[in-house]
Structures are given as structure tokens and as C-alpha cells.
Amino acid sequence: MGEQDITTYLIAIFIAIITLEENLFAENTGEYLVNKKSLRIIDIPGHERLRGKFFDSYKNTAKGIVYVVDSLTLQKEVKDVAEFLYVILTDSTVMSASPQILILCNKQDELLSKGSFVIKTLLEKEMNTLRITQSNQLESVDPSKSKKVFLGKEDKDFDFSCVPPYNIEFEECQACSEDTKIDVLKKWLNKIA
């Protein structure tokens, strides 16, 4: 189990009753009780060959999406992190459901980790590049069949605050230490319940 998988798994354990199997090839599910309501928590594998399959299975029922980002390694992995986030945000099923989205910046207890503002800025810059390359790629394949989805406002740099129909929030947490701090996640889950 990789470090990012362990972190995501620990976050799932802290917020829900999860099966204790360390299964990298299947989703972990559990229930989170809020004010006599139950939220079904689904932790999908982060491996690129698996996440799309599981994401497709659950995207039409999601009230909220928590996208966990490794604050320590994001600068090296920003392209991959932004690409999957772009896939999520431009998915037609997700767009019509318009779930709440939380980008959870983990490992804030590490000395060299980036804060949520820096992470947001890095992702916005990469999303700006992605939306240009993705829309050009669609047009070059078959201009008549491309259903153009443009994230944000055209003729402006990408900004997470201008991505209708979504409400995208950034929060910081630390889940892999003795001093686990995921209260922001619990508050967010209470809000969407």
C-alpha cells in the first residue's frame, strides 16, 4: 500500500466505519452518521488504472466529492492530479448532479508541505493549461462531434471560484500522524448531509 493510499484509507477510517481489509483493488465503503442521517462514504482506489472504473460506478449518486491531495508531493505530481480533477469536473454526469467538491490538502504536519492557497494556485495554473490542450485536442479529433466543455470563464485564467455548477472548497488536514486533524472534513460532511 503506497503512502497516498494509506493516507486516504486513514481518512476513510476516521470518518466512517470501514472494513479493516487493506484492499487496493476495490473500493472501501462505510456509513457516516450525521444528525440521524446516514452518508455512504466510498473510498475509491487512487491507482490510475482503477480509479476511473470505480469513479464511473458511483459518480451519478455522489452528493459530494472529496479529492485528497498530497501536500508534500503535489508540486512533482501536479499534472496528474490536475488531469484527473479535470476529468471529474468535465464529466457530464457529474456536471448535471453538481455535487459539492472538497479538495483536501493532506499532510499539513510535514515541514515541506504546501498550504491550500499554494496548492490552489498550482492547480489553477495547471487547469488553465489543461482546458486549452483538452479543447484543442477535441477539436482536432472531430470538430463536428466535439461537445465543448469549457471550465471557467472564457478569455480569463482558470479560477476555482468561477466553475459553475460547482462549489469547490479547499481545506487543509493531516491524517497520518499522532495528532490527526480532519475536523474540516467532518464539518464539510455535516454540511452536505
Side-chain angles (χ1 to χ4, degrees), residues 11-152:
I11 289 171
I13 287 172
F14 283 119
I15 61 172
I17 300 167
I18 301 293
T19 59
L20 295 178
E21 299 172 20
E22 293 182 4
N23 192 346
L24 295 177
F25 303 106
E27 72 277 25
N28 288 309
T29 62
E31 299 296 319
Y32 181 69
L33 297 175
V34 180
N35 300 325
K36 298 183 183 180
K37 291 182 183 177
S38 178
L39 284 178
R40 185 171 177 212
I41 306 294
I42 301 161
D43 172 26
I44 62 173
H47 191 279
E48 65 184 286
R49 290 186 181 170
L50 298 173
R51 65 182 172 208
K53 172 188 163 195
F54 289 107
F55 177 69
D56 288 342
S57 298
Y58 296 108
K59 65 185 178 186
N60 59 340
T61 60
K63 284 178 118 177
I65 296 173
V66 179
Y67 194 75
V68 180
V69 174
D70 185 327
S71 301
L72 195 57
T73 63
L74 178 79
Q75 204 156 4
K76 291 182 262 181
E77 300 169 352
V78 69
K79 185 176 181 186
D80 293 334
V81 171
E83 279 179 358
F84 191 59
L85 185 56
Y86 183 88
V87 167
I88 292 170
L89 296 177
T90 58
D91 185 280
S92 60
T93 303
V94 176
M95 288 184 91
S96 53
S98 64
Q100 300 289 313
I101 297 177
L102 173 64
I103 299 176
L104 194 59
C105 307
N106 193 25
K107 298 188 183 175
Q108 291 299 307
D109 54 326
E110 297 288 334
L111 183 63
L112 299 175
S113 66
K114 305 289 182 226
S116 60
F117 180 77
V118 173
I119 290 172
K120 181 180 180 211
T121 303
L122 288 169
L123 285 173
E124 284 174 337
K125 184 178 177 185
E126 190 63 34
M127 295 293 276
N128 204 38
T129 303
L130 267 173
R131 68 180 181 172
I132 293 166
T133 57
Q134 292 293 328
S135 57
N136 288 342
Q137 191 174 37
L138 286 173
E139 288 174 9
S140 68
V141 173
D142 188 352
S144 64
K145 291 187 179 179
S146 69
K147 187 177 180 182
K148 191 174 182 181
V149 175
F150 193 85
L151 282 179

